[in-house]
Structures are given as C-alpha cells and as structure tokens.
Amino acid sequence: MKAMNKKNKKENVKKVITLLINLVISVCVYKLILLLGDKINVMFYYIGVTAFVCTIAVLFCIYYAKNGYTFSNTKITAEDLPSELSEDEKNEFINSLKKKKESASKLLLVILPMILTVFFNYIEMIATGYFAQ
C-alpha cells in the first residue's frame, strides 16, 4: 500500500510540475502575442489571440473525443458491455478506452493552463480599468 501511495504521490507531483511549466509557457506565448500587437501591428493581437482561443477550442474537442464523448470519469467494466462480445473483445475494448482516457487526461494539462492564461489576462484588464477607457 505504501508503494502504491508513493507512486501516486510521484505521479501527482509530476502532473503539478507539468501543469506549472505549461502555464509559464502559455503565459509567455500570450504575452508575446500582446507585445507584438502593441509594438508592431494590432493585427498580431487580433490574429494571435484568435488563434490562441481557437487552439483551446480544438484541443478541448480532441479531449472530448478521446474521453469517449463524455465528461464522465467512471470506469467501464466487462459487465457493462454487451453480452454479444467475447471476453477478449471486452478486454481489448476496456484497454483501448483506458489508453484513450489517459491521453485525454494528459491533454488537460495543456488545456487548463491556456484557459487560465486567458482568464488571468481578462482579470488583469478588469483590475487595471482597461475596459473603462
């Protein structure tokens, strides 16, 4: 039990570090877009922010598809599958679904920092009175 708990802790720490690294990268890319829009041409802002938000939307759709077209995180057992399937087919389906859900959860480690970056930017703009101008 201790070995499993230790393994879960390592995985969770790895996920948090990955999340923080992705957040830093996301903020840097977003701030670069804002800087280019401010210093060079405003079209960099419009195109860059649109591409950034569209990337979030596309990644979210990919996440949804890989997660089995559901937001549910319940595990499917062999009893949940139709009886017409053989045990090998059931096991193969469950294993493929498990792999897809694992890759979908990794994709969330990219999507969440991007959403937080946009959210923090709008909070910053509201706090500085940018919309009041």
Side-chain angles (χ1 to χ4, degrees):
M1 176 137 167
K2 283 188 177 185
M4 186 179 229
N5 193 14
K6 200 172 196 179
K7 182 181 177 186
N8 286 341
K9 277 187 178 182
K10 278 187 173 184
E11 287 179 16
N12 290 340
V13 168
K14 186 177 177 182
K15 285 181 183 179
V16 168
I17 290 171
T18 304
L19 192 66
L20 291 174
I21 289 170
N22 287 341
L23 182 63
V24 169
I25 291 169
S26 180
V27 168
C28 289
V29 168
Y30 197 80
K31 290 295 182 180
L32 178 66
I33 292 168
L34 296 178
L35 182 69
L36 290 174
D38 190 37
K39 299 293 181 186
I40 297 177
N41 190 345
V42 74
M43 287 307 292
F44 279 106
Y45 172 79
Y46 292 124
I47 294 170
V49 171
T50 302
F52 195 86
V53 173
C54 286
T55 303
I56 294 171
V58 168
L59 289 175
F60 187 76
C61 291
I62 293 170
Y63 162 77
Y64 186 69
K66 284 189 171 222
N67 203 39
Y69 298 102
T70 182
F71 293 117
S72 174
N73 207 16
T74 58
K75 294 187 178 187
I76 294 179
T77 61
E79 292 83 30
D80 297 333
L81 297 174
S83 59
E84 296 91 35
L85 297 174
S86 69
E87 288 300 316
D88 290 337
E89 291 173 326
K90 287 180 182 181
N91 289 336
E92 184 179 325
F93 179 78
I94 290 171
N95 289 337
S96 69
L97 192 61
K98 183 179 176 185
K99 287 179 184 178
K100 287 179 183 178
K101 285 189 179 256
E102 286 175 6
S103 67
S105 69
K106 289 179 183 177
L107 197 55
L108 273 180
L109 296 176
V110 175
I111 297 170
L112 185 62
M114 292 178 77
I115 292 172
L116 288 175
T117 299
V118 174
F119 178 73
F120 290 150
N121 182 58
Y122 280 104
I123 294 297
E124 178 186 359
M125 288 172 28
I126 289 169
T128 59
Y130 181 79
F131 294 120
Q133 296 175 357

